[in-house]
């Protein structure tokens, strides 16, 4: 399920741009700043420096397991 995987990039403030969290459904190999941060908030020459500051993590979850646990907890 595409809703059960995502890449989350946390980018701190850079120059005059505030920090931001980006989420996107991409494959694990594409989980990096260049594939997830859209639109890129900095001009071309600053992209590499901006991306080096971002921390990107690939996350997987099982929504079915979460729903089952929630039902058991509420019962």
């Amino acid at each position: 399920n595409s809703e059960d995987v995502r890449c989350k990039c946390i980018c701190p403030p850079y120059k005059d741009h505030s920090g931001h969290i980006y989420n996107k459904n991409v494959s694990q190999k594409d989980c990096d700043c260049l594939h997830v941060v859209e639109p890129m908030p900095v001009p071309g020459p600053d992209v590499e420096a901006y991306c080096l500051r971002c921390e990107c993590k690939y996350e997987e979850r099982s929504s079915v397991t979460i729903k089952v646990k929630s039902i058991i907890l509420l019962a």
Side-chain angles (χ1 to χ4, degrees):
N1 189 346
S2 64
E3 297 170 357
D4 289 343
V5 296
R6 72 176 178 179
C7 182
K8 180 179 182 180
C9 291
I10 301 172
C11 300
Y14 179 77
K15 293 189 177 179
D16 60 341
H17 300 282
S18 61
H20 195 75
I21 297 174
Y22 300 89
N23 292 302
K24 190 171 181 183
N25 293 336
V26 295
S27 67
Q28 190 169 5
K29 70 177 182 71
D30 289 335
C31 185
D32 59 34
C33 174
L34 294 175
H35 289 97
V36 176
V37 176
E38 290 179 353
M40 188 60 69
V42 295
D46 288 333
V47 169
E48 184 177 358
Y50 181 79
C51 282
L52 286 174
R53 299 169 56 89
C54 296
E55 182 180 339
C56 297
K57 292 183 181 176
Y58 185 74
E59 299 175 344
E60 291 183 78
R61 66 178 184 182
S62 172
S63 58
V64 174
T65 302
I66 294 168
K67 288 176 187 175
V68 170
K69 287 182 177 182
S70 298
I71 291 169
I72 291 171
L73 181 64
L74 295 174

